[in-house]
Amino acid sequence: MIRLRDIERYYRNGLRKAWVLNQVNLDIKEGEFVTIMGPSGAGKSTLLNIIGMLEEPSGGSYYFYDEAVHQFNERKRSDLHKAYMGFVFQAYHLIDDLTVYENIETPLLYRNVKGKERKSMVAEILDRFNIVAKKDLFPEQLSGGQQQLVGVARAVISRPRLLLADEPTGNLHTKQGDQIMELFKELNDEGVTIIQVTHSERNASFGTRIIELIDGNIRRDEQLREPSNQADTPKGVPNGK
Amino acid sequence: MFRHYLTITIRNLRRDLGYSLINILGLGMGIAVSLLLFFWVRHELSFDRFHTDAGRIYQIAFNFPADNGQYDTWTSAPAPFAEKIGEEIPEAEAALFVSFPRQLAFQKDQTPYQEKGLYVDKSFLDVFAFPLLEGRKEGLLHQPGFIVLSEKLAEKHFGAGWRGQAIGKTLEAAEDESYTVSGVVANPPPNSTLQFDFLLSKEDYLSKNPWDSQWGNFSSRLYLKVKNGTDIPGLEDKLIGLFRKYKGNEERATISLLSFPGRHLYSKLENGKPVGGRITYVRLFIGAAAFLLLIACINFMNLATARATRRSREIGVRKVVGASRGQLAGQFMSEALAIALIATGAGIALVELLKEPFRQITGTELSIHYLEPGTLSLILATGLVAGLLSGSYPAFLLSSFRAVNIFRGKEAGQFSGASLRKGLVVLQFLLSACLIVCALGVQRQVKFIMNKNLGLNRENVVRVPMEGPLYDKYPSLKDEISLTGRQAVRCFQSNAIYGQRRDPRPGVGRQGAG
């Protein structure tokens, strides 16, 4: 699904370059649940953003489903991002002025899903995440764990093939964090590829593979177990455009 | 999607009520003032355009050589010319004698009152489209002694139930004259150059002022309605030929045909050619209205972009969940348009509030009918321009934010458009300063006119026009006033201030000393 070759990311600081990522080579197959770990400043979030096409690498090649993303323009990249990816943030990043329902609905609006279908999709996910009763509340009326549940619901409503999560449990206490992780595992079992950034060994244990970044380099790449149902996952373009 | 935009717009407005009010009122004031000016401009441009085939109506002007090699242009003509044109010039569909406005005193129940009206040719209402409310169009002014009233005068004299009552009745005028009402026309609209409360026949005029039947007296106005496709310069030559035939010895005089609806805006003439006039103010006001609208829009842009800091996270989130740049721009654009719509509403309310003071300042009665297509489209166009103009920059700028930078807190404070925004602020202040300087200048001019010592004492000086029975009773009036201890009473044959004869019956006036 993902093939990174010699990915670099640096910032120019006068004449010197400050390296964030240096010569990163990484392959991720469909159905994996990858955890990126490492100390602060190791480039974890940058790597995640590059994979999520929110940020461009300074050099190297990035193939997504064998398409050369590094040669795409912004528009094509954002189309790919829209078609295949969901994003979960540490700070939830819900839109304050929208209710739970409307927050979850938003990605569908940008994908031109028709009203009736939209309604049933949102209803289904509210039901599944057990937040039907909260649907008319605004984010500030929810606890952190509930907000993150909404965040995840919003990320997966468009049925992405790839879920990217930047410290999704960083602001939550253990019990809420576990709940999110259980949810991730469930999604992964259904075939969604997940890449998460975390500091927590506990969270990493939910995944199938751990990658450790230190100073912009991959130091460790450890397979915890086989991805559960990789075989069931259809290849190609599952979500349609 | 549209509902989604609307929801977020309304919630945003509600959340920052103070900010929203400032923004909407700011834009609303700009829109209101621009609208007032546009309405005024439209009023000016509409002058005399309501007549059928207004473009074929011309006023005859004479150009006489002056000492400085230029020509003096007179917009008056000798009375008999109209008739001769009608007889001998086939290109003229109609040639009309129209007097300058004249005052006449009427009486109702022994109480005299003054009205202004015109002495006109009988075909007056065929050329000028003042709707006839009562009376038969044929024979309205075909005889001396017939009078056509405006609706206003009919109501004044015969009461609210004048309909069916006025026609055929007699109107007593001063000096034992009386006129028979032959018709009632609608009041001339405010955008008509020809204003009158009554119309009397040309024959009445000439019998009172027999000297004006001479070719040497340029005492009245002369209007022509020409046939379609008439060659105007050719007609001008033909007319001066005709004039010379009857008047003789005017070898160097020429005639100009001035477009009647154009006269209002282009009243300044040089050598018989219109060179300007009120059109200057019309252009000036269009410019002022555009500038004011621009200032209001820039103000809106600045407030909207400055607040974008608060919205930036929303922008980032939307980008991440799949919004394209165009969709985000569309969102901010539709927000601006929605706010502009509200501001337009506020603007209309302000226009209603400002209408009366505006009328007092400019003396122009703006008749604003909001549902009339012209007015409606003018308002909508103003609102739309304001919305597009004020929404374009925020939409363009905010949609260009990069999600990653927003989440890292980079673009929140120091986004890329800051220098443009500073430029806009400078422009806004510059334009405002210009307008303030202009306003101060005008104010000092007005103050100068009001307070300049002209070397005479204007306090306690009263001018009483001598009309109606006042003529005959002048000596007793003078005595009465002297008895009250007033200092001086003078009588002038002509108006002492304008130095021009205003009286409809010259020759009767007398010199008085007090």
Side-chain angles (χ1 to χ4, degrees), chain B residues 120-156:
Chain B
V120 298
D121 248 314
K122 41 187 171 290
S123 49
F124 182 79
L125 288 177
D126 298 332
V127 173
F128 296 112
F130 300 106
L132 187 63
L133 301 178
E134 286 209 337
R136 277 181 42 243
K137 194 154 191 173
E138 305 77 40
L140 274 180
L141 294 168
H142 279 229
Q143 281 185 38
F146 276 4
I147 189 168
V148 173
L149 307 181
S150 72
E151 199 180 350
K152 196 177 107 201
L153 181 54
E155 201 174 314
K156 184 169 173 180

Side-chain angles (χ1 to χ4, degrees), chain A residues 17 32 55 110 117 134 140 151 163-164 190 205 207 238:
Chain A
K17 290 175 180 175
E32 282 193 280
E55 203 171 338
Y110 289 124
E117 199 186 343
K134 311 258 188 275
E140 59 184 18
L163 187 64
L164 300 161
E190 288 164 20
S205 68

